[in-house]
Each structure stands twice: as structure tokens, then as C-alpha cells.
């Protein structure tokens, strides 16, 4: 009698047992084939990304790195729930006696006449005008350098690469002297205009445009009678969407977290971004008659990073595809 006939004669339990044995045998066979494939890949010197080698050490390293990255956020989240008294009297990684997260959030937005809301709006203004303008200029400049040939193109490439190697902090003092001559310090223009220049964004869009937009597609559009503007907006721009989002994210994060430039450019607290405003609150306790408000600083810092977290979560798929696009040339 065959196995199927035996399982049928044994009833539902027999069929279930036979199916379980068949599934176990199939898993063993798949695991054996995967081991053999990995061995062949190791001998040939190439790794198969569809069948990666599982490494406990690599998993442990990634877990440690994940804890290292998430630890500051955990610290903010825990300490934002404490009152000022609990913040100074309890363990830093433990919750306090009172859960005061909502009270701290309300106090952050109402403390000192609601100045935190003004700082938040200032930061949004600098991001929209500065990072948005930097992204737009990077798109147009990168696309033009990638798809048009003109004298001096190689010189521009050298200048862009050289500008990337210069840290932004090294240009802060010359920028301050220039804006002081133009009487633009202590104004929003002192934050917006320097933020419009993103050499890394320009280089990124240059490389991405060169790989993501086929020249044959542009030539076909021109043959059909489309002008350069129509070709750019209707043909090229949709293909550049991942690169645009990637460039925008880098520009947004750089402008949102900018600290040294507003520190030397702005003196009026009404124009402070969040970074300078929270630092002013932190130093308040060291001034004569100042009140310690570390719980508000921690809560304000937590509120500050929430928009960035939301932006990354919403645009993650575009960001990942933007980083990988253009890495392989077909």
C-alpha cells in the first residue's frame, strides 16, 4: 500500500502527519541547496545577495549599532515625562514619580510668552525658503550639467568637488563679514541666502540626472517637437523624483539642525531657530537669577526632532531608491 493510501486509511491525523513530514523534508532540502549554493559562491569569490550567509556576529554588530542610534531618542522620551524636580533627583534612564509629558509640552509652548512657537516657525521658514531653494537650484544645476555640453563644464566639476571638501563651518566667518557689510545680519536673509547653496546636493543631482534620465528619451521628446522646458517638466522631472526627495532630505536636515551659522548671524531672539533657542534655555540656569528648566529643554528637543522623524518615515521609500539609483550602469 502506498504512503498516500496509508495516510488516507489512517484518517485526518494520518494525513496531517504525512503533510508535516513532507514539509520538514522540503525545508531540509531547501536548506541543503542553500548551503551548497553559498559554498559555490564562496569558491568563486562572489556573494549571492538573494541567498546571504547568516552571521551571528554581523547581527550582533547591527544590534549594537541600532541601540547606539536609538539611545538618545530613548533618553529624550524618558526624561520628557519628568518634572524639573524628578529630572534632578531620579535616575536618568528611569521614569520619575510623576508622568508630566503633556504638561511639559504645554509649558514648552507657553513659557516666556510662547517664544518656542516663534522659534519653531522661524525654523520652518528657514527650511522652506533655504532648503527648498537649495533643492530647486540643485535640481536645475545638476540636470543642466548632466545633460548639456558647454565650455568650462569640466572646470565646474572641479569647483563643485572642491567645494564639497570644504566644511561649512570654515565659511561661516567670511559669510558673517560679507553679510555685515551688506547690513543683512540679524535678519532672516542671513539664514536663507547661505542655505541656498548645497554643493553636495548639486553633485548628487548631477550624478543622478546623468544615470536616471536616458539621453535617447530626451532626443525622442525633442524630435516630437517638445521644447526644453516641456521636456524637463514632463519627461525628466518624474524620473528625477527619487533623487529630488533624497536631496531635499539632506538639505532639510542640514538647515533644521544648523547651529553655528545662526549663532554668529542672529542676535535678536525673535529670529532664533530652535537650535539656538533651546541652547539659550539650557544656559538660562547659569545666569544670575536664572531658573533651571532642563525638563523643558529635553521636551523641546523631543518636539524638535518629531518633524524630522515624520519626514523620514513618510519619504523612506523614495530616500532608499534615491540612494541606490545610478549605482549600477546598464
Amino acid at each position: 500500500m502506498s504512503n498516500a493510501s496509508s495516510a488516507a486509511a489512517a484518517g485526518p491525523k494520518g494525513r496531517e502527519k504525512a503533510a508535516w513530514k513532507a514539509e520538514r523534508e522540503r525545508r531540509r532540502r531547501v536548506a541543503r541547496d542553500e548551503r551548497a549554493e553559498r559554498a559555490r559562491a564562496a569558491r568563486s569569490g562572489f556573494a549571492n545577495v538573494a541567498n546571504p550567509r547568516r552571521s551571528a556576529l554581523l547581527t550582533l554588530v547591527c544590534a549594537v549599532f541600532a541601540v547606539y542610534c536609538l539611545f538618545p531618542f530613548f533618553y529624550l522620551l524618558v526624561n520628557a515625562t519628568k518634572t524639573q524636580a524628578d529630572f534632578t533627583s531620579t535616575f536618568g534612564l528611569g521614569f520619575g514619580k510623576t508622568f508630566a509629558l503633556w504638561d511639559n509640552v504645554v509649558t514648552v509652548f507657553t513659557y516666556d510668552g510662547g517664544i518656542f512657537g516663534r522659534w519653531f516657525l522661524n525654523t520652518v521658514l528657514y527650511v522652506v525658503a533655504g532648503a527648498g531653494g537649495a533643492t530647486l537650484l540643485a535640481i536645475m544645476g545638476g540636470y543642466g550639467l548632466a545633460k548639456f555640453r558647454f565650455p568650462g563644464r569640466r572646470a565646474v566639476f572641479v569647483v563643485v568637488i572642491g567645494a564639497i571638501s570644504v566644511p561649512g563651518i570654515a565659511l561661516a566667518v567670511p559669510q558673517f563679514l560679507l553679510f555685515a557689510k551688506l547690513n543683512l545680519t540679524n535678519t532672516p536673509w542671513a539664514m536663507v541666502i547661505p542655505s541656498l547653496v548645497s554643493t553636495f546636493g548639486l553633485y548628487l543631482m548631477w550624478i543622478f540626472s546623468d544615470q536616471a534620465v536616458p539621453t535617447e528619451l530626451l532626443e525622442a521628446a525633442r524630435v516630437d517637437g517638445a521644447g526644453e522646458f516641456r521636456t524637463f517638466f514632463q519627461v525628466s522631472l518624474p524620473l528625477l523624483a527619487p533623487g529630488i526627495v533624497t536631496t531635499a532630505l539632506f538639505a532639510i536636515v542640514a538647515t533644521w539642525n544648523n547651529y553655528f551659522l545662526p549663532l554668529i548671524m542672529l542676535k535678536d531672539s525673535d529670529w532664533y531657530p530652535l537650535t539656538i533657542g533651546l541652547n539659550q534655555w539650557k544656559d538660562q540656569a547659569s545666569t544670575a537669577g536664572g531658573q533651571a528648566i532642563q525638563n523643558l529643554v529635553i521636551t523641546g528637543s523631543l518636539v524638535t526632532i518629531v518633524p524630522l522623524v515624520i519626514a523620514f518615515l513618510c519619504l523612506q521609500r523614495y530616500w532608499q531608491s534615491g540612494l541606490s539609483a545610478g549605482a549600477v550602469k546598464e
Side-chain angles (χ1 to χ4, degrees):
M1 183 179 294
S2 62
N3 293 334
S5 301
S6 301
K13 292 185 177 180
R15 290 194 296 270
E16 182 179 353
K17 185 176 181 180
W20 181 78
K21 288 183 178 180
E23 177 64 18
R24 185 175 60 179
E25 181 62 28
R26 186 191 68 82
R27 292 182 179 179
R28 289 178 179 176
R29 186 171 60 256
V30 170
R32 185 169 58 251
D33 293 342
E34 288 182 349
R35 287 195 298 269
E37 183 181 352
R38 284 195 292 268
R40 288 193 299 270
R43 287 194 298 270
S44 62
F46 294 95
N48 185 357
V49 295
N51 182 23
R53 182 186 298 273
R54 293 171 177 82
S55 173
L57 178 60
L58 184 59
T59 302
L60 178 61
V61 171
C62 291
V64 172
F65 183 72
V67 172
Y68 173 78
C69 293
L70 294 176
F71 180 79
F73 182 77
F74 175 76
Y75 177 84
L76 286 178
L77 190 61
V78 169
N79 287 274
T81 64
K82 299 179 180 180
T83 61
Q84 178 61 29
D86 288 340
F87 182 83
T88 56
S89 62
T90 59
F91 179 58
L93 298 181
F95 291 94
K97 301 177 182 178
T98 304
F99 189 83
L101 177 60
W102 178 248
D103 294 336
N104 287 339
V105 172
V106 173
T107 307
V108 162
F109 282 95
T110 57
Y111 183 79
D112 195 14
I115 191 65
F116 183 86
R118 176 63 184 265
W119 295 339
F120 190 90
L121 293 178
N122 290 341
T123 306
V124 172
L125 171 64
Y126 302 149
V127 167
V128 172
T135 303
L136 180 61
L137 293 176
I139 295 168
M140 296 189 297
Y143 177 80
L145 290 169
K147 294 304 175 183
F148 295 95
R149 299 296 182 265
F150 54 88
R153 182 171 174 270
R154 291 184 178 273
V156 174
F157 178 78
V158 173
V159 171
V160 171
I161 295 298
I164 293 176
S165 63
V166 178
I169 193 171
L171 302 176
V173 174
Q175 287 175 350
F176 171 76
L177 297 177
L178 176 61
F179 278 77
K181 290 290 185 180
L182 298 175
N183 294 323
L184 293 177
T185 56
N186 205 31
T187 65
W189 296 109
M191 285 294 299
V192 172
I193 295 178
S195 301
L196 293 175
V197 180
S198 176
T199 52
F200 177 75
L202 175 63
Y203 177 74
L204 182 63
M205 287 306 303
W206 185 347
I207 300 302
F208 192 89
S209 300
D210 186 56
Q211 298 293 330
V213 182
T215 304
E216 296 79 5
L217 188 62
L218 301 180
E219 293 175 351
R222 291 162 183 160
V223 169
D224 290 339
E228 293 300 334
F229 283 99
R230 184 177 180 183
T231 301
F232 174 73
F233 285 105
Q234 295 187 1
V235 178
S236 301
L237 204 60
L239 298 176
L240 296 176
I244 292 172
V245 173
T246 305
T247 303
L249 280 175
F250 279 114
I252 289 171
V253 172
T255 306
W256 192 276
N257 295 330
N258 200 349
Y259 176 79
F260 191 72
L261 182 64
L263 179 65
I264 65 173
M265 289 288 189
L266 304 176
K267 299 302 178 183
D268 187 357
S269 61
D270 288 339
W271 292 114
Y272 280 174
L274 289 170
T275 52
I276 303 300
L278 290 175
N279 184 70
Q280 186 184 56
W281 278 5
K282 177 184 71 66
D283 296 337
Q284 178 175 305
S286 60
T287 60
Q291 178 185 5
I293 51 172
Q294 286 93 340
N295 63 321
L296 299 187
V297 175
I298 293 294
T299 307
S301 301
L302 180 64
V303 173
T304 299
I305 67 173
V306 167
L308 294 180
V309 173
I310 294 175
F312 269 90
L313 291 179
C314 294
L315 302 175
Q316 183 181 15
R317 59 191 182 97
Y318 293 103
W319 184 63
Q320 290 175 340
S321 59
L323 287 178
S324 61
V328 179
K329 184 176 181 180
E330 297 181 358

